[in-house]
Amino acid sequence: MYEYYDSVDSAAAQGLENKRVNLGLTPLPEPVISGLKLNADVSIGDLTLNTTDSAGVVWVLSDIEGWWTLPDSEIPELRRGWGDGDYDAIGRYSARLLTLSGSFLTQDPSQVAVARDRLIRATNLVKTGNWLVVRESPIEKASFVRLSGSPQIETTSARGRTNFSIGFKAADPIKYEWLDGAADNYRSSGLSASGSAINNEGNTYVSTVIQVFGPITASVASPATVTLASGGSVKIVESLTSGQILEIDSLNREVLLVEGDSVLSGRYKTATLIDWIYLAPGVNTVTYTGGGSCRMLYRSGWIG
């Protein structure tokens, strides 16, 4: 009896497996316009792609090369003095290189010049950068980019279809969650002695900005301290007066003392050996002991 049921269960499992494999190999019908659907799901600055604008120009993005994969990596080659192979070494990710490819489709040739100018204005990112936002589901993601290389923009039909291929460089290869309306695209969480649970929903470590608001009384013997439960702490060893803000930025590895419009180095107000705090994927517990108030600015991040 047991062998019979085992045989039935095995056949059912094999049938389900075959069904899933066949479904996975079945092609989905492509949209009439090759590429992504018109869901207004990609933007660079104030230019939204995969949509029809107010003038009736259709903006279609066919690919974002470099967005869906890991960026290039660099691992130093440390040859062994004897034997085969290298020493195992920690590597790093390079800047993320992206290429936006697509087309804009005009209803009339007279629209080409205006549409081309709009594209150029949005991608003129040499002196300044901007956010490339991809509205993935369930979390929108973004990278801060600048122009890389020479854009290719070519009109290919009498009606005005224009194809483009434009390269960008994201110096920070991490893709961050996009928070509409948030200052500098950061979440904010107050810290206290009882601890705050801060959730990095991404798949890689992310940097933080810690802001301590004066007045506080601190010294080497009695510092104000921000502590990450999984390891690492930042100690403030000099007092802050009312109106002073100490900012500890682990991305740029700098400490700034802000007072009104004045921004100076505040490194001397922290312990000589400082642990720059990064949030691991998942929930992180962070505490603050000291006077005044303290908050952490952060955002979830993905490396691929």
Side-chain angles (χ1 to χ4, degrees):
M1 177 175 66
Y2 294 107
E3 292 181 359
Y4 170 76
Y5 282 116
D6 286 346
S7 176
V8 171
D9 291 344
S10 176
Q14 184 63 51
L16 179 60
E17 181 177 316
N18 291 343
K19 179 181 178 181
R20 288 174 173 169
V21 170
N22 291 334
L23 180 61
L25 294 175
T26 302
L28 286 174
E30 292 291 334
V32 175
I33 301 172
S34 62
L36 304 180
K37 296 181 180 179
L38 299 181
N39 294 328
D41 50 7
V42 178
S43 62
I44 178 74
D46 61 0
L47 176 63
T48 300
L49 303 172
N50 290 333
T51 191
T52 302
D53 66 19
S54 59
V57 177
V58 182
W59 296 85
V60 180
L61 187 65
S62 57
D63 193 15
I64 314 174
E65 184 181 344
W67 181 265
W68 314 106
T69 63
L70 291 168
D72 290 341
S73 62
E74 298 176 7
I75 299 179
E77 186 176 287
L78 304 176
R79 297 175 182 267
R80 292 182 183 273
W82 63 92
D84 299 325
D86 297 338
Y87 289 104
D88 184 33
I90 296 175
R92 62 184 293 275
Y93 285 109
S94 304
R96 186 182 293 275
L97 298 179
L98 303 162
T99 302
L100 271 65
S101 301
S103 307
F104 63 77
L105 311 175
T106 57
Q107 307 303 301
D108 185 270
S110 64
Q111 296 177 307
V112 172
V114 174
R116 185 192 298 115
D117 181 67
R118 187 179 177 198
L119 177 63
I120 289 174
R121 287 174 183 270
T123 58
N124 179 22
L125 302 176
V126 174
K127 304 296 185 181
T128 60
N130 213 332
W131 288 97
L132 170 66
V133 181
V134 180
R135 292 173 173 82
E136 300 180 38
S137 178
I139 298 177
E140 299 179 0
K141 299 170 187 171
S143 285
F144 192 80
V145 300
R146 292 180 185 269
L147 191 65
S148 175
S150 177
Q152 304 299 312
I153 303 174
E154 180 183 7
T155 301
T156 61
S157 75
R159 186 176 293 278
R161 171 172 177 161
T162 300
N163 300 331
F164 58 83
S165 178
I166 302 175
F168 295 99
K169 175 181 177 180
D172 183 349
I174 296 174
K175 299 182 293 187
Y176 294 101
E177 64 175 327
W178 178 249
L179 306 167
D180 282 318
D184 294 324
N185 200 42
Y186 278 110
R187 291 188 183 275
S188 176
S189 178
L191 304 181
S192 66
S194 60
S196 298
I198 298 178
N199 187 16
N200 171 12
E201 299 182 56
N203 60 15
T204 191
Y205 281 80
V206 293
S207 59
T208 64
V209 177
I210 297 165
Q211 295 180 322
V212 181
F213 298 83
I216 68 169
T217 301
S219 65
V220 174
S222 181
T225 306
V226 179
T227 304
L228 184 64
S230 59
S233 63
V234 174
K235 295 182 178 181
I236 300 164
V237 296
E238 286 200 16
S239 300
L240 298 175
T241 61
S242 180
Q244 289 186 326
I245 305 170
L246 195 67
E247 286 194 353
I248 301 143
D249 181 350
S250 63
L251 176 62
N252 298 306
R253 296 209 164 193
E254 64 183 8
V255 182
L256 300 176
L257 181 62
V258 182
E259 186 172 12
D261 295 330
S262 174
V263 180
L264 303 172
S265 173
R267 185 67 178 80
Y268 67 95
K269 287 188 175 288
T270 59
T272 303
L273 298 176
I274 187 172
D275 291 326
W276 304 101
I277 289 181
Y278 296 85
L279 300 178
V283 177
N284 299 259
T285 301
V286 187
T287 60
Y288 169 69
T289 55
S293 62
C294 178
R295 70 177 180 178
M296 175 175 283
L297 306 179
Y298 68 99
R299 50 208 173 181
S300 299
W302 291 259
I303 196 62

